[in-house]
Amino acid sequence: MQNVSKSVINKIFIFFLIFCPFVIFGQDIPVQEHGNENDTIIGNSNIMPPAVDSTSVGNVPKRLSFTGDKADRTLFTEVSRIDTAKPINYWQITERTGEIIQGKPDTTLTEYFHRTHVEGYSTSMAYLGNLGSPMESRLFFERADRSHFMFMDNYSLYNQSINNINFINTKIPHSNISYQRAGSRPNREERFQTLLAVNFGKKLNVGVNLDYLYARGFYDSQASRHVEWGFFSNYISDRHQVHILYNPSEYINNENGGISNDYYLSHPDYLNVINLQSKEIPVNIRNTWNQLKGKNIYLNYHYNIGFERNTELTTEDGDTIKRFIPVSAVILTMNYKDKKRLFYSTDTASINKFYDYRDFLRKGTDLRDSTSYWELSSTLGLSMREGFSSWAKFDLTAFLTQDFRSFTMMDTISVKREASQKSTYLGGELAKRTGKILRYNAQGSLGILGYNLGDINLSGHIETHIPVWNNIASLNVDGYIKNIAPTYYENHFFSKYFNWNNDFNKVRKVYAGGELAIPHTNTAFGLGVENVTNYIYFNKTGYPEQYAGNIQVVAAHLKQSVLYKAFHWDNRVVYQKSSDEKRLPLPDISLYSSMFVEFKVAGVLRIQIGGNIHYWTMYYAPAYEPATQQFKIQDEVKTGNYPLISGFVNCHLKQTRFFIEYYNAGASLISPPEYFSVPHYPVNPTVIKLGISVDFIN
């Protein structure tokens, strides 16, 4: 166990008093307001945060969120109509049926700063230390099920997908340019992002976005390069609702297998290398890369059937204004995905040595493992809309989905293995999205044909208001039952260093959880519990393994913000416990705390000065396996019990946000400096980070 002396604790305390601020996300995200009678109606009469499409695999984590955003779930807010008087409207849609969800633009000062680095995506995030590298949340309830192309899963927070892209309706052209940078030229990390959205009339919007990331890495052979862009469009009228997305991407990551000896970082005096720079620390692999390429083409169409109803409003000529009332909708969704992966090296001797315990499956050949996957999913649905009559108290939707999947991988140099899957799902949803007291959403799907025959996915969400201390608090309750088949790659994989053919059973999951949020005290408390049967994990040798028994995970979280005049302090603490820490290791405690003072200069320049800290208790953190790009269990090295401290200055001037951050400032205060995020993968050493984001609304 790492020891932190009292003198070090005192230094940390002084650091926070002088240079640190803590209330993260101190501002509320602007929410949509009620529109007038002339607004265009979008499908549903009202929207609450819905349950995820029940046939989705991967992509979406569990509902019990620990990210701390105040707008995680906005209760009883009507966002169903485009208020043409507002400059910009944002929304998202569900993947299968295209139901509209309230969007959340990145408009807050603190949120922009925090999410420019990986730690900002969660209370506790494990990653390989470099921007753009694979990552996994240390919080079990934030992890999604494995997708059909598992190699992309650990990049999910970088992906633009139909589950996280904002569709836009803007009264005037809207664009944003963001740029961040850290380090000197040899190890510099940079990320450039841009967005442009333009309306052609009130109904049609067209937009493009670009995300370019290039992080050379502060350690040898660690560079990351991501290029991703997207074209998106939507057409919204009374009768027709169309959403389109075209999204190609390419990710390339240099693999180094971690540093060869942790003492180079934590105890350099033992190795007599006290003045060794991070780039000079020996690593296990060199000249080896993982490349991921793919694209997503998506189309969703709703045809609304309904009637016009007179309103109490009139035109200037005295004519009665009519409003379209949707009764039902016909839904059609087409979703095509293709992805390719290449694991290759120009230093075969080095990587063969790294895997010297293996009986190589393709001896005498260079490393060039490849696999590819494509999927075409089509959904036909019919929905009855809530509110068109006094007896229509809820939305009712039924859908039929057909999935076609194809997989290809190398068997030998000249032979490829090919496989395909077909699956048919029957599903439905019952939702009440209006009401001042109670709202709910329940949906489910059943695999009726093909590979996923017998798959069951049922989920539900309830939200209400309750009186607390002479005020109103919100209560959210979630749950699901899943019985899902393993993915193709969990059962089958062939490469130079790994080869498996499994016949795993279906994975069964039962979850229940909820959160009580008290707005007037800035407090939120949540509790969740899940039971997993036939849990699939990657064992110490890097191979997938299934445990036929039951594993229970219980987690509780507390979010508390304090605001006194210019002083802000925000805290998030998560406690979680796994009943089987050998197969599913988790840190007992994870926390994030941020403290800052906020003030204005000349009435226009808003400034926040402070600092933050990430911390988790020590545990046997999963290790990263480059040949499969998965995290595997291990019992040799513990990580944690190290406070990752950073200081920052955030500024906001009109439509511009910018910051300067002193990242990992605690490295100069804490000894030994064991800032490992994943075993043998340290985060970046102390470095200055800069960022700027400019909104152009013309």
Side-chain angles (χ1 to χ4, degrees):
M1 179 75 69
Q2 171 185 339
N3 294 319
V4 180
S5 66
K6 291 184 178 180
S7 61
V8 170
I9 295 175
N10 291 335
K11 290 180 181 178
I12 296 173
F13 179 71
I14 294 171
F15 174 85
F16 268 81
L17 286 180
I18 297 175
F19 194 60
C20 296
F22 280 46
V23 127
I24 52 186
F25 314 136
Q27 302 83 11
D28 289 328
I29 302 296
V31 297
Q32 304 279 7
E33 300 173 353
H34 290 264
N36 55 48
E37 293 293 338
N38 293 318
D39 296 334
T40 303
I41 298 174
I42 304 178
N44 299 353
S45 57
N46 291 279
I47 296 294
M48 74 173 187
V52 177
D53 287 330
S54 58
T55 53
S56 297
V57 177
N59 301 322
V60 184
K62 301 176 178 65
R63 288 174 146 298
L64 191 56
S65 174
F66 301 104
T67 58
D69 302 338
K70 290 187 176 180
D72 280 343
R73 183 180 289 117
T74 304
L75 283 179
F76 306 154
T77 302
E78 293 190 24
V79 295
S80 59
R81 58 182 70 204
I82 296 176
D83 185 352
T84 54
K86 291 172 67 69
I88 305 175
N89 294 268
Y90 300 85
W91 66 90
Q92 298 176 348
I93 63 173
T94 60
E95 183 174 342
R96 292 285 186 182
T97 58
E99 296 296 340
I100 291 176
I101 315 167
Q102 176 180 355
K104 185 174 75 68
D106 177 10
T107 58
T108 62
L109 177 57
T110 315
E111 184 164 335
Y112 165 67
F113 146 72
H114 197 50
R115 295 204 176 183
T116 56
H117 44 75
V118 179
E119 288 88 0
Y121 287 98
S122 171
T123 300
S124 192
M125 184 67 70
Y127 68 111
L128 305 191
N130 195 31
L131 186 68
S133 61
M135 64 184 75
E136 180 183 61
S137 177
R138 295 187 185 92
L139 309 183
F140 179 71
F141 289 165
E142 287 185 349
R143 298 177 187 173
D145 299 325
R146 280 192 193 93
S147 71
H148 294 296
F149 194 74
M150 66 180 187
F151 312 101
M152 189 69 81
D153 290 352
N154 293 322
Y155 298 91
S156 60
L157 296 179
Y158 295 105
N159 294 345
Q160 298 176 20
S161 69
I162 201 64
N163 292 306
N164 59 28
I165 189 172
N166 276 330
F167 288 93
I168 300 175
N169 182 281
T170 177
K171 192 175 182 181
I172 51 181
H174 169 63
S175 60
N176 172 270
I177 295 177
S178 298
Y179 175 74
Q180 66 183 85
R181 172 174 166 175
S184 57
R185 184 177 297 274
N187 49 29
R188 180 173 297 162
E189 64 177 38
E190 297 176 284
R191 190 176 188 183
F192 175 79
Q193 297 169 283
T194 184
L195 164 71
L196 173 64
V198 180
N199 257 58
F200 297 89
K202 294 183 178 181
K203 300 176 181 179
L204 176 64
N205 179 271
V206 175
V208 292
N209 54 40
L210 170 69
D211 188 353
Y212 176 78
L213 182 156
Y214 186 25
R216 295 160 180 83
F218 285 78
Y219 302 91
D220 188 25
S221 302
Q222 195 192 33
S224 299
R225 184 173 71 88
H226 296 182
V227 180
E228 185 163 11
W229 67 277
F231 167 83
F232 59 93
S233 180
N234 63 85
Y235 178 86
I236 305 295
S237 69
D238 288 342
R239 297 282 184 181
H240 307 281
Q241 175 181 312
V242 182
H243 292 91
I244 297 173
L245 173 65
Y246 175 68
N247 172 220
S249 62
E250 180 182 29
Y251 297 171
I252 299 178
N253 279 87
N254 208 174
E255 301 286 0
N256 66 12
I259 64 177
S260 61
N261 189 332
D262 292 355
Y263 273 24
Y264 280 110
L265 177 70
S266 60
H267 299 86
D269 51 324
Y270 289 8
L271 303 178
N272 198 26
V273 288
I274 295 178
N275 296 320
L276 198 67
Q277 299 298 310
S278 63
K279 206 84 169 186
E280 300 172 328
I281 296 177
V283 296
N284 290 307
I285 306 174
R286 302 184 75 250
N287 300 319
T288 302
W289 297 267
N290 266 302
Q291 180 186 43
L292 298 168
K293 298 178 67 174
K295 61 180 176 291
N296 185 192
I297 303 173
Y298 178 89
L299 168 66
N300 174 262
Y301 173 66
H302 281 221
Y303 178 71
N304 295 319
I305 303 169
F307 60 90
E308 291 186 337
R309 176 182 292 166
N310 291 334
T311 69
E312 298 178 356
L313 302 178
T314 59
T315 65
E316 294 180 355
D317 298 330
D319 297 328
T320 300
I321 295 176
K322 295 183 178 182
R323 176 181 176 184
F324 179 77
I325 305 299
V327 175
S328 62
V330 178
I331 303 167
L332 175 64
T333 301
M334 302 294 292
N335 192 5
Y336 172 78
K337 304 174 185 177
D338 68 52
K339 301 181 189 298
K340 299 177 182 179
R341 185 225 180 193
L342 177 63
F343 181 45
Y344 64 101
S345 176
T346 60
D347 188 358
T348 304
S350 171
I351 194 163
N352 281 349
K353 182 180 179 181
F354 184 69
Y355 289 106
D356 61 357
Y357 62 94
R358 298 242 181 254
D359 179 15
F360 300 149
L361 305 173
R362 286 198 297 269
K363 295 181 179 180
T365 64
D366 292 335
L367 173 62
R368 196 169 180 83
D369 287 336
S370 64
T371 184
S372 62
Y373 142 89
W374 66 262
E375 178 179 9
L376 178 62
S377 177
S378 57
T379 297
L380 179 64
L382 181 63
S383 177
M384 183 186 72
R385 296 307 189 187
E386 174 186 6
F388 69 87
S389 176
S390 59
W391 55 267
K393 301 296 185 181
F394 47 78
D395 273 5
L396 183 62
T397 302
F399 63 85
L400 183 69
T401 296
Q402 179 68 59
D403 289 351
F404 298 92
R405 310 180 197 111
S406 177
F407 306 87
T408 302
M409 69 182 72
M410 296 179 65
D411 190 339
T412 65
I413 297 176
S414 58
V415 178
K416 292 185 177 181
R417 292 190 177 190
E418 296 183 351
S420 61
Q421 295 177 350
K422 297 179 182 179
S423 296
T424 304
Y425 302 91
L426 181 64
E429 178 185 33
L430 179 68
K432 178 176 173 55
R433 296 184 170 92
T434 62
K436 296 181 179 180
I437 299 176
L438 178 68
R439 295 187 182 188
Y440 56 82
N441 183 305
Q443 63 175 252
S445 68
L446 173 66
I448 57 175
L449 290 172
Y451 177 78
N452 295 96
L453 175 67
D455 277 17
I456 298 173
N457 200 329
L458 304 174
S459 63
H461 170 72
I462 299 173
E463 52 188 37
T464 187
H465 286 159
I466 60 175
V468 174
W469 299 326
N470 298 322
N471 214 309
I472 299 297
S474 60
L475 177 65
N476 301 274
V477 179
D478 299 280
Y480 57 69
I481 299 173
K482 297 181 181 181
N483 187 46
I484 53 179
T487 64
Y488 177 81
Y489 287 111
E490 288 175 326
N491 270 335
H492 310 288
F493 185 64
F494 194 91
S495 67
K496 182 170 183 177
Y497 304 117
F498 288 92
N499 180 21
W500 62 74
N501 277 292
N502 300 314
D503 187 19
F504 289 148
N505 295 319
K506 291 182 184 291
V507 180
R508 295 190 293 273
K509 299 183 177 183
V510 179
Y511 166 79
E515 182 182 76
L516 177 65
I518 309 172
H520 58 284
T521 62
N522 291 318
T523 305
F525 173 77
L527 180 66
V529 61
E530 178 165 335
N531 183 84
V532 185
T533 306
N534 294 333
Y535 176 65
I536 298 175
Y537 62 99
F538 284 81
N539 62 27
K540 290 186 287 186
T541 64
Y543 280 84
E545 187 173 322
Q546 186 168 59
Y547 174 58
N550 296 321
I551 299 178
Q552 293 82 34
V553 177
V554 61
H557 73 273
L558 174 66
K559 295 181 283 189
Q560 180 63 62
S561 297
V562 176
L563 173 62
Y564 180 73
K565 296 183 178 179
F567 175 76
H568 296 249
W569 186 15
D570 189 53
N571 301 277
R572 300 199 302 267
V573 182
V574 179
Y575 170 81
Q576 56 185 351
K577 197 68 177 177
S578 167
S579 65
D580 191 339
E581 296 184 352
K582 291 183 178 180
R583 296 179 176 89
L584 181 53
L586 299 169
D588 289 343
I589 302 291
S590 298
L591 67 85
Y592 171 75
S593 193
S594 176
M595 184 185 299
F596 63 83
V597 291
E598 180 177 323
F599 56 92
K600 283 189 175 182
V601 176
V604 293
L605 177 61
R606 184 163 145 234
I607 300 176
Q608 299 171 344
I609 301 178
N612 57 41
I613 180 173
H614 285 269
Y615 175 85
W616 65 94
T617 53
M618 190 170 282
Y619 76 116
Y620 286 113
Y624 175 71
E625 175 52 71
T628 60
Q629 294 184 280
Q630 302 301 301
F631 288 93
K632 63 182 182 180
I633 62 172
Q634 57 87 31
D635 57 7
E636 297 177 354
V637 179
K638 285 188 175 183
T639 66
N641 197 31
Y642 181 91
L644 182 62
I645 303 170
S646 300
F648 61 83
V649 178
N650 284 331
C651 300
H652 184 200
L653 178 62
K654 295 184 178 179
Q655 296 174 179
T656 302
R657 293 169 290 170
F658 53 96
F659 72 85
I660 179 171
E661 178 186 18
Y662 190 50
Y663 178 79
N664 197 6
S668 59
L669 302 172
I670 302 172
S671 181
E674 297 182 344
Y675 42 86
F676 291 92
S677 183
V678 172
H680 314 305
Y681 287 90
V683 300
N684 292 342
T686 300
V687 65
I688 298 294
K689 294 191 175 188
L690 307 169
I692 184 170
S693 178
V694 183
D695 291 301
F696 299 93
I697 303 177
N698 302 316

